[in-house]
Structures are given as C-alpha cells and as structure tokens.
Amino acid sequence: MNRPESVTALYPGSFDPVTLGHEDIARRTLRVADRLIVAVAETATQAKRPAFSLEERLAMLGEVFADEPRIECVSFSGLLVDFAKRSGAPLVVRGLRAVSDFEYEFQMAQMNRELSPGIEFIFLTPDAQLSFLSASIVREVARLGGDVSPFVSPPVLRRLNERFRDGAGAQES
Ligand code: PNS
C-alpha cells in the first residue's frame, strides 16, 4: 500500500462529553497523522441517552482543541465508513483502554472492514493515568455532585457544572 504524502485520520465517538482520555488519544494521533478530524456521531452503536446535545458536544470539542490547528471537529450522521470516505480519511483511530474495550472495538472494526475494506483502523492506548476514564463515569460522578475537575478540561467542567448544578439531572438514568 502506498503511503500518501499527507495522512488524515478520523477519530469518531460519542464524546458525551470529551474527557482528558479522548484529548490524549487525539493529540497522540497527531504523532502518526498530519491532520485529525474528530467526529461526533449522531448514531452510537451502544446507544445511551446523551447528557449533551450533538451541538453541545461539538462546541466542547471545539473549545478543547482550539489550540490545535491540525484538529477539525465535526459531527456526522449515517455510517462511519461512508463519512470516512467522504472526508478523505483512510485511517480511523480509536482508543483502547483495557481488555474490556477489545471485544466491542474488534466487532466494530471487523464490521467496518466488511463494509469498506479500504479504511484501516488503528488503536492507541491512553496515558496510564487516564486508562480508567470513561465519559459515562464522568457523567455519573458529575450528575451525583462529585468533583470531575481532574478528568476533563475547564470548558467541559464548566458545562458539566451548569448541567448538573444543584443536583439538576441527578435522577436521570
Ligand atoms: O464513543 P462511542 O460511543 O464508543 O463511539 C462509537 C461510534 C460512534 C464510533 C460508533 O457507534 C459508530 O461508528 N457510529 C456511526 C454509525 C455506524 O457506522 N455504525 C456501525 C458501526 S460498526
């Protein structure tokens, strides 16, 4: 396979909200790619009721990566592989935190390869200190009034505090 002169990678996810773990994976990707598209999916395979709208999640990503001109943040609907082709990104990156992530990631990567053999998936591991972190745990801790400041960037913390201030949303599932 010929290596293109400039590599664009795609980092898809729910990002509900973006955590320091996601940020770490995105910034690490720029060590192997020239440009990164961080893409919020309208449809998630493991669908949960989101805490933030698509627009809010995208706005947080834009704030978090405002310092990095090589990262573009967008949302997409439909199949990931179709979006990757439309974006000219032959490389999709996903974070792999632990063995427990493997089955889900493997299943998605294999299905995506069936759908579009031209797209390659790569998996990066986060900094060890972030390997326990997930957006769902951050949401739950924030919802129940815990301090999530070590796990998210300031713009995300501000929105979490606004969303769950005074226990608002604490009853949500
Ligand atoms: O952060 P998540 O929720 O684990 O990300 C999962 C995501 C968004 C990457 C996955 O659900 C996805 O690719 N959604 C787009 C729709 C799609 O292509 N589904 C088929 C996946 S095999």
Side-chain angles (χ1 to χ4, degrees):
M1 193 197 301
N2 289 334
R3 189 188 185 281
E5 271 178 25
S6 168
V7 176
T8 298
L10 180 66
Y11 181 23
S14 300
F15 304 110
D16 185 35
V18 55
T19 67
L20 292 186
H22 295 126
E23 284 186 49
D24 184 56
I25 295 293
R27 294 185 195 277
R28 275 174 202 283
T29 304
L30 290 174
R31 295 179 180 175
V32 294
D34 302 287
R35 198 173 144 253
L36 178 66
I37 302 171
V38 179
V40 190
E42 210 174 276
T43 311
T45 307
Q46 291 183 335
K48 310 142 211 148
R49 189 150 61 103
F52 293 99
S53 69
L54 206 61
E55 293 70 27
E56 289 171 317
R57 285 179 266 161
L58 194 52
M60 284 186 272
L61 284 165
E63 287 164 348
V64 159
F65 293 121
D67 64 319
E68 181 45 84
R70 291 174 297 167
I71 296 182
E72 182 191 357
C73 303
V74 299
S75 62
F76 73 100
S77 56
L79 284 174
L80 169 63
V81 288
D82 290 340
F83 181 67
K85 274 187 260 179
R86 283 203 302 279
S87 310
L91 197 64
V92 174
V93 63
R94 293 279 293 168
L96 208 54
R97 291 163 299 189
V99 177
S100 50
D101 280 344
F102 179 78
E103 201 171 319
Y104 168 55
E105 294 300 333
F106 185 73
Q107 213 178 4
M108 282 202 299
Q110 294 300 97
M111 174 54 85
N112 282 320
R113 180 173 287 160
E114 290 295 320
L115 295 171
S116 182
I119 310 278
E120 290 301 337
F121 277 67
I122 60 166
F123 299 91
L124 298 182
T125 53
D127 187 289
Q129 295 194 335
L130 301 170
S131 60
F132 66 95
L133 206 53
S134 73
S136 54
I137 285 188
V138 165
R139 279 199 310 273
E140 180 172 317
V141 172
R143 186 174 278 146
L144 298 174
D147 176 18
V148 292
S149 59
F151 314 123
V152 294
S153 280
V156 180
L157 184 65
R158 183 176 51 76
R159 283 180 193 255
L160 279 166
N161 287 340
E162 281 168 13
R163 178 60 35 97
F164 299 123
R165 186 176 291 147
D166 303 325
Q171 301 305 314
E172 287 180 26
S173 60

